[in-house]
Amino acid sequence: MNIYLIRHGRQNSKLCNVDVELSPEGREQADLVGKRLQTYHIDAVYSSQLIRAKETADIINKYLNKPRVIEERIQEANFGAMTGMTNEAIDEKYGDYLAQRSTMTTDMTYPDGENCQMVYERAKAGLDDIVKDSLEKGYENICIVTHGGVLRALVTGIMGAPYKNWLAVGRQIENCSISQLLYD
């Protein structure tokens, strides 16, 4: 089975991990990836419940017209106390944390949030259930619209890399990029 992991389109806010709709550019990105996926023989489209992922998946599915499923465990990492803050406010309030995290010597938890291992375990459980459901239905190609942190955590965990290095994995995962996993 081919699993196409897609990061949602550009969102309509610069605040940390707020649940908002896509920007006009994000809708255009989703439209373009939907057109591209028409040739991938997708059997179903999954997404997290966050607005930006749902909207991306719905735009993609206009071109595919396949079953749509929400899987809450593939939502973005919990940024805890940083949620809703600007980058400047995060730098000011959590500068020491960010400096320590950038050393990648440990898998640091976001203040009152998650770390890579927590995101991986949650998202991997969701991915496992998606795969199980897809195999039972005979699907060969599925599309999963999720988030940058989830993509980094999944790739880190699946590769068996140390969780502390997750920020270096897929450092520039672009909006509406496609990452392919082959499930065998």
Side-chain angles (χ1 to χ4, degrees):
M1 174 190 320
N2 290 298
I3 303 168
Y4 298 100
L5 298 170
I6 298 169
R7 184 178 178 200
H8 61 77
R10 186 175 306 267
Q11 65 186 20
N12 201 17
S13 177
K14 293 188 184 223
L15 299 178
C16 178
N17 199 34
V18 291
D19 193 14
V20 296
E21 63 187 27
L22 297 176
S23 68
E25 180 184 12
R27 285 190 286 281
E28 183 178 344
Q29 291 169 329
D31 192 64
L32 290 170
V33 80
K35 289 177 184 175
R36 180 175 176 187
L37 288 172
Q38 286 180 300
T39 64
Y40 285 51
H41 308 289
I42 301 296
D43 297 303
V45 179
Y46 297 81
S47 75
S48 88
Q49 80 283 12
L50 297 180
I51 294 168
R52 59 194 180 269
K54 284 193 319 187
E55 188 176 357
T56 301
D58 289 341
I59 292 169
I60 288 169
N61 205 32
K62 285 191 321 187
Y63 296 94
L64 307 176
N65 195 29
K66 298 298 178 178
R68 271 285 287 118
V69 181
I70 300 294
E71 171 50 68
E72 293 186 3
R73 291 171 291 180
I74 60 170
Q75 73 176 323
E76 181 59 291
N78 180 350
F79 288 80
M82 294 180 181
T83 300
M85 296 177 73
T86 64
N87 287 338
E88 295 79 18
I90 291 171
D91 288 343
E92 184 177 318
K93 186 168 183 176
Y94 296 104
D96 291 342
Y97 163 83
L98 295 173
Q100 185 178 357
R101 184 184 71 163
S102 71
T103 66
M104 291 190 273
T105 55
T106 185
D107 181 20
M108 293 182 66
T109 303
Y110 287 104
D112 300 321
E114 293 178 302
N115 63 15
C116 180
Q117 183 174 356
M118 295 162 81
V119 175
Y120 172 73
E121 289 173 357
R122 168 176 51 80
K124 180 67 167 56
L127 178 63
D128 288 346
D129 283 349
I130 289 170
V131 167
K132 180 181 176 193
D133 179 63
S134 296
L135 291 172
E136 287 173 357
K137 292 177 177 169
Y139 296 162
E140 295 180 20
N141 300 290
I142 61 172
C143 168
I144 301 175
V145 180
T146 187
H147 307 269
V150 171
L151 290 169
R152 281 189 288 279
L154 283 172
V155 171
T156 298
I158 289 169
M159 289 188 335
Y163 293 122
K164 66 181 182 175
N165 295 333
W166 77 313
L167 297 175
V169 174
R171 194 157 191 83
Q172 294 300 322
I173 297 173
E174 297 294 331
N175 294 104
C176 283
S177 63
I178 301 172
S179 302
Q180 181 180 1
L181 295 177
L182 176 60
Y183 179 86
D184 184 358

